[in-house]
Amino acid sequence: MKGKTLSNLLLLGWCVMMLIACSGEKPHYIIGVSQCSEDIWRNWQNAEMKMESNFHDGVELRFATAHDDSKRQIQQIDSLVESGIQLLIVAPNQRSSVSSAIDRAYDKGIPVIVFERKTDSHKYSAFVSADNYEMGRLIGEYVVSRLDGKGNVLEVAGLKGSSSAEDRHKGFHEALDHYPEVKVVARLQGDWTEQTAYQVVKDYKGDLNDIDVVFGHNDRSAMGARKVFQERQAKMPLFCGIDGLPGENGGIRLVRDSLLDASYIYPTRGDLLLQLALDILEGKPYSKETLLTSALVTHDNANVLLLESDEVARQAQNLDKLQTQASSYLRQLDTQRTITLMALILIALLLLTMVLFFLYHRSKVSAQRERMLNNLWNMEVPEEAKPSESPEQEPSKAEESEQAETPEPLFIVRFKDVVEARLADSELSVDDLAAAMNLSRVQLYRKVKAISGSSPIELLRTARLNRGYQLLLQTNKTISEIAYEIGFTAPSYFTRCFKNEFGISPSDLQAK
């Protein structure tokens, strides 16, 4: 069903839900949400939680925003607890500042979900976040590739003491440490807001014309820095941020419009947070820690990502409009409460189907990217694209000149051969891979990115993890032996990457 018919069915579904809500029963669950700040990212997340709550009977959400004030957040958490909430969802302003308030809530028997930022407290029921360290590291790798291994970087950090700012900084510098000619000339202390970023860059005493890249710990920080460069009429560097939100002022659109050179999607997933909260309250199985999938946004994929996100946003707006219309319809339907139970069930099922479709549609891009990354090493290549079994010969000059135009199937075969031949080399770099392929670093990055949607380093790590998986199943070697054999510098890092990739630790796999 399409068009007006579909809208009418959705409207009737909302009416059914509102009729149930108006029955006079008290909510089954009262959930408190303590946000550390108020911004476009958190507003989007709150809206997702509200929308998801509409599809669960008897859920009341109570929101509090601390506006980056730790003392205020402590007071708000205590107040939410005293108000009678049954579960607390909290994004700590700083790692240690609100730990005592979280402890008090937990000690009173209230389950606690910590999301987006870490806390020093160990008293929580579940933790939900993306990998901020990995985001910073991949942005660092992207910056290195754009600078071709040489240039000056200005870093505008997030709020001091917040775990996300600390992890993004560490990951970013871990990537840059391998390239001594890429220098961070200054780290300016921001607080996630555009205005503060603008001010600290404005107060910077160095020469802005010497800056090649500005890395803001979020998109707003990068945009605040950009305004200073515009006002000073300085040479415009590349601007990179993190958040990659959809919508009018979101990072995806900023990248598409070339205001940012790159961003990194930090998924809000308010729907997942609320469902996790309900699973905890209802005694259902749930994961103690949930790592959200994210993706790099560049000029190559920004337009597609924006089209996807705009469509989801449009559907969400339509649902909001339908909810408003439903309130008006309720007054007209007051005398029609004799609707059969079967009709109510059918309408509710239709509405649930539509919601599941919208949620699937929103996550499709990141899911496709993840499947492509995991399956690249298992791609079947046409016979005509496979290398000849004739003895090895030095490539002719004509062949060397056509390296950048190599057909994709043959390129994949050659790239796999190069990677697998040096899998155990822990010091293998993108420059080494590019040299082995007779390509420049930039040509290799672009070619691999165009085929897989991932960077060469990501594919190298995937290949190592796949080899490790096979060795764990087929040999009696220790985890340490396997880690070193496939090029990891530390068994602990191998274990962490392995669990993130396959959802199971190496030791658990060996035990099976």
Side-chain angles (χ1 to χ4, degrees), residues 25-80:
E25 296 182 3
K26 292 183 178 180
H28 294 300
Y29 301 119
I30 303 174
I31 299 172
V33 181
S34 173
Q35 293 280 16
C36 55
S37 61
E38 183 176 8
D39 52 58
I40 183 174
W41 192 91
R42 298 186 190 284
N43 290 340
W44 189 277
Q45 185 178 68
N46 290 345
E48 289 176 330
M49 281 190 271
K50 290 176 184 176
M51 183 177 296
E52 182 68 20
S53 71
N54 287 323
F55 303 108
H56 300 275
D57 185 22
V59 176
E60 178 185 337
L61 293 172
R62 296 177 181 175
F63 293 93
T65 301
H67 298 285
D68 301 307
D69 186 331
S70 295
K71 290 183 179 179
R72 178 183 291 183
Q73 188 170 33
I74 292 173
Q75 294 171 350
Q76 289 175 341
I77 291 174
D78 289 340
S79 179
L80 285 170

Side-chain angles (χ1 to χ4, degrees), residues 360-429:
Y360 167 78
H361 194 62
R362 179 179 60 189
S363 62
K364 183 170 63 175
V365 172
S366 59
Q368 286 175 341
R369 175 184 177 276
E370 193 169 323
R371 285 197 301 273
M372 182 176 292
L373 184 61
N374 290 334
N375 294 335
L376 180 64
W377 242 247
N378 299 319
M379 289 177 65
E380 293 187 6
V381 181
E383 289 296 328
E384 60 272 17
K386 294 181 179 179
S388 171
E389 296 182 359
S390 58
E392 293 186 3
Q393 298 179 355
E394 290 295 324
S396 66
K397 292 183 178 180
E399 290 173 329
E400 290 180 357
S401 65
E402 295 176 357
Q403 291 297 323
E405 304 298 329
T406 304
E408 289 184 4
L410 181 56
F411 177 85
I412 293 170
V413 173
R414 293 177 56 214
F415 184 71
K416 288 169 61 179
D417 289 343
V418 169
V419 169
E420 290 175 351
R422 301 186 61 181
L423 209 58
D425 184 358
S426 62
E427 296 183 357
L428 181 62
S429 67

